[in-house]
Amino acid sequence: VQLQASGGGAVQAGGSLRLSCSASGHTFSRLVMGWFRQAPGKEREFVTTVSWGGTRKYYADSIKGQFTTSRDNAKNTVYLQMNSLKPEDTAIYYCAADNNSVSGAISTYADQYDLWGQGTQVTVSS
C-alpha cells in the first residue's frame, strides 16, 4: 500500500487548505485513516482519524471545530479540510493508515498506524 499526501502550501492566517491522501494497492475501505502533524522542534501529534465508512471521526482538541476530515472510498482518498488556519498549525502533515484493524475502530495512537505517507508541508504566516 502506498499513501500519497498532497495539498499543502503556504497561506496567511485565517486561510484554508484542503489536504488529500490517496491510497493505492489495498482495499481502501478497510483502512482506518488518520492525520498527524509534526511542527519544527516538536513531537508528532495526532490530528484526526476516520473509520472505514467515514461515520466515526475523532479530532484532537487543538483543532476541533477548525479541521474536518472526510473520505471517499470510491476515490481511495481521505481529506483534511483546514479552516481558520493559525501560525501554530504550521507543520508537516502526514496521513496514515491502520491496515490491521479487524473492527474498523479508530485510534489516536500513532503506533496503531502501520502505513504512512510522505508528508506535506503546511506553512501559515501571520
Side-chain angles (χ1 to χ4, degrees), residues 1-6 20-28 31-36 71 76-78 93-99 113-120:
V1 179
Q2 287 189 326
L3 303 179
Q4 181 73 36
S6 61
S20 301
C21 175
S22 60
S24 60
H26 197 282
T27 304
F28 182 74
L31 296 174
V32 172
M33 300 300 296
W35 288 95
F36 293 77
R71 65 189 295 163
N76 290 356
T77 302
V78 63
Y93 284 73
Y94 298 91
C95 62
D98 177 359
N99 189 32
Y113 297 84
D114 53 328
L115 304 167
W116 291 80
Q118 84 286 5
T120 185

Side-chain angles (χ1 to χ4, degrees), residues 19-98:
L19 306 184
S20 301
C21 175
S22 60
S24 60
H26 197 282
T27 304
F28 182 74
S29 61
R30 286 307 199 188
L31 296 174
V32 172
M33 300 300 296
W35 288 95
F36 293 77
R37 68 184 181 183
Q38 187 165 19
K42 294 187 177 181
E43 294 186 352
R44 181 176 53 189
E45 65 172 350
F46 166 78
V47 176
T48 183
T49 179
V50 57
S51 61
W52 288 344
T55 56
R56 285 170 290 161
K57 304 174 185 177
Y58 189 80
Y59 297 93
D61 287 342
S62 60
I63 55 87
K64 200 171 293 183
Q66 183 188 358
F67 292 2
T68 303
T69 190
S70 61
R71 65 189 295 163
D72 186 337
N73 286 346
K75 295 183 178 179
N76 290 356
T77 302
V78 63
Y79 304 97
L80 182 64
Q81 177 67 43
M82 305 185 295
N83 299 326
S84 303
L85 284 162
K86 309 168 187 175
E88 51 264 43
D89 295 319
T90 295
I92 300 174
Y93 284 73
Y94 298 91
C95 62
D98 177 359

